[in-house]
Amino acid sequence: MLYRWQASSRPAAGAEQGARATVAGMTTTPDTPPIDTVDEARVEAFVEQFLTDLAGAATTVMTVVGDRLGLYPAMAGTGPVTAAELAAATGLHPRLVTEWLASQTVSGYLTHDPAAGTYELPAEIAMVLAETDSPAYLIGAAEIITGQYLTLAELEAAVRGDDGIDYDAFPNCLFHGVERFFRTAYTHEMASTWFPVVDGLVPRLEAGARVADVGCGHGQSSLQLAGHWSTCTVTGFDLHEPSIVTARAKAVEAGMDGRVSFHVADAADVGPGPSPWCCSPMRCTTWATPRPHCARPATCSPTAASSSPSSPGRWTASRTASATPRCASTTRSPPRCAPRARWPSPGRTGWAPRAAPPRGCGCWQRPDSAGPRSPPTPAPTSCSPRPSEARAGHRRPRWAVSSATRVR
Ligand SMILES: C[S@@+](CC[C@H](N)C(=O)[O-])C[C@H]1O[C@@H](n2cnc3c(N)ncnc32)[C@H](O)[C@@H]1O
């Protein structure tokens, strides 16, 4: 049904008996020609969508609070708890823990038994929010969103004409959120699903390749790749110096600093080397303006590597591989996979990707036997924005390249 907007709140002549729009601020005037017409159902549908979006944004605030304060891990696998028990277990303020529990219940993240006064984190939701090694552990994304809100001023300036947001301008929680978010996919899909779709890549890795991880961030992909293929040496490159510092520390922590190294470098300077090489199409997210350093050199051609026997290496990109059709990803629901492993109760024996999945299927699977659990990556305790001023001569990374891997 079409309606027109009224200039004043007073109904137009002849409209008094007409049906009134159900959306505030709109009245119907069926016997006068419309000035501007709107589809009421569409307005109402969008209002619903918008309110849902706002509810999601508000929920994310509480999710980050629950993550940073350790509320989800404290509830995972413990069964129903009262607010007082949870507050005691976490050392938090009982009344505000009660408020948090109520808000999370309204959001559908927790179940509540009013008679018993208890709250419970269901196992399936704990997989997403609390189980660090679960294939559905995605809570890092909430930190990314937080980082985006903390750089609203920079975004506003960028849209006014500053032409982009310095990657340096984002707060630590965003880098940390990226690491945690992508880590899940690297753990459960990189070796088992992504790399096998690139012809000849896995045998080269097994034979002991030199790998360049371009846009390595905190080094999760480099370290996991080196951990999976112990004959490979991996060199991570990233424009963002603080990320490289963090990646180096993680390599030392993992005892891999001999085989994995990290360097501050622009993707454009990493290749192509003396022979043609192939860079599979790289997806540049559009948070900031795509830049020349989206690493698509002029020599990049989908056929270059295959047509050139002298090619020193093949390139792959995580986004490219993840775009390959498959029946499961961290953003798709497990029921699409068949057969699907039945989920045991979470968190007690560790998660592992299927060892050798059929091509195109990344079904998740729990190991039969207990396996080591990776140490949890703790949430940052503070999230203050970094100073956004540019350093002289520093080439500032933008939110552009996801990750690219080159294998020699
Ligand atoms: C989405 S993050 C991915 C980080 C890492 N691959 C991971 O999964 O944790 C993209 C990374 O690309 C880096 N980057 C963007 N443009 C770059 C460029 N031209 N050269 C090198 N690194 C770049 C950013 O600094 C950032 O660390």
Side-chain angles (χ1 to χ4, degrees):
M1 188 180 294
L2 297 179
Y3 296 87
R4 75 168 195 172
W5 294 104
Q6 291 294 104
S8 79
S9 59
R10 187 163 170 261
E16 288 81 356
Q17 304 304 317
R20 298 289 162 86
T22 56
V23 176
M26 296 167 58
T27 55
T28 57
T29 57
D31 46 359
T32 52
I35 301 167
D36 291 309
T37 57
V38 294
D39 179 340
E40 182 202 12
R42 195 171 180 184
V43 173
E44 289 187 345
F46 181 70
V47 165
E48 191 160 318
Q49 179 196 324
F50 184 59
L51 292 175
T52 303
D53 291 346
L54 292 176
T59 299
T60 300
V61 172
M62 292 310 224
T63 303
V64 172
V65 166
D67 182 37
R68 292 186 181 184
L69 297 178
L71 287 158
Y72 295 122
M75 294 186 80
T78 58
V81 289
T82 65
E85 288 167 347
L86 183 60
T90 52
L92 298 172
H93 193 293
R95 191 184 71 73
L96 291 172
V97 166
T98 308
E99 299 290 349
W100 181 82
L101 287 165
S103 135
Q104 291 277 286
T105 302
V106 169
S107 299
Y109 287 21
L110 304 177
T111 55
H112 176 46
D113 180 344
T118 56
Y119 301 84
E120 183 169 6
L121 180 65
E124 296 80 4
I125 294 177
M127 281 177 59
V128 181
L129 304 177
E131 298 289 344
T132 54
D133 289 335
S134 130
Y137 185 64
L138 296 178
I139 200 169
E143 285 194 85
I144 300 174
I145 301 298
T146 303
Q148 292 176 345
Y149 273 99
L150 285 168
T151 45
L152 267 179
E154 283 82 353
L155 177 59
E156 188 184 331
V159 176
R160 283 185 194 284
D162 242 8
D163 195 24
I165 302 175
D166 296 340
Y167 204 57
D168 275 346
F170 288 106
N172 279 328
C173 65
L174 183 135
F175 310 126
H176 190 255
V178 166
E179 178 190 351
R180 293 171 84 198
F181 179 68
F182 282 98
R183 174 185 174 273
T184 296
Y186 295 148
T187 303
H188 294 278
E189 302 196 52
M190 185 173 73
S192 62
T193 308
W194 295 354
F195 284 4
V197 302
V198 182
D199 280 342
L201 180 59
V202 170
R204 291 180 77 165
L205 293 169
E206 286 168 349
R210 288 172 56 213
V211 179
D213 183 5
V214 183
C216 63
H218 284 186
Q220 268 298 323
S221 41
S222 309
L223 292 167
Q224 292 212 27
L225 198 151
H228 197 89
W229 286 284
S230 58
T231 46
C232 291
T233 56
V234 184
T235 309
F237 300 95
D238 202 290
L239 263 181
H240 187 234
E241 189 173 357
S243 287
I244 290 296
V245 170
T246 300
R248 285 175 181 153
K250 285 178 181 286
V252 172
E253 195 181 312
M256 289 198 208
D257 48 326
R259 212 152 47 78
V260 183
S261 59
F262 295 102
H263 303 280
V264 178
D266 191 325
D269 299 332
V270 174
S275 310
W277 49 270
C278 178
C279 160
S280 45
M282 227 180 260
R283 285 260 305 272
C284 299
T285 50
T286 52
W287 178 249
T289 316
R291 295 278 156 183
H293 55 240
C294 283
R296 293 210 56 179
T299 53
C300 174
S301 142
T303 56
S306 51
S307 63
S308 168
S310 63
S311 169
R314 295 286 303 269
W315 290 77
T316 181
S318 62
R319 289 300 185 89
T320 300
S322 66
T324 305
R326 60 206 151 92
C327 73
S329 76
T330 50
T331 55
R332 292 183 195 152
S333 57
R336 295 180 63 192
C337 300
R340 175 173 163 255
R342 185 175 163 75
W343 300 113
S345 58
R348 302 303 146 233
T349 57
W351 301 91
R354 181 189 291 266
R359 178 171 290 200
C361 178
C363 296
W364 304 331
Q365 181 176 287
R366 285 292 296 266
D368 293 333
S369 58
R373 284 167 64 84
S374 306
T377 309
T381 50
S382 72
C383 203
S384 52
R386 293 168 164 276
S388 60
E389 62 270 16
R391 279 175 279 145
H394 177 60
R395 300 173 77 179
R396 295 164 299 178
R398 306 281 173 134
W399 184 262
V401 175
S402 172
S403 183
T405 308
R406 186 187 196 193
V407 181
R408 282 180 195 271

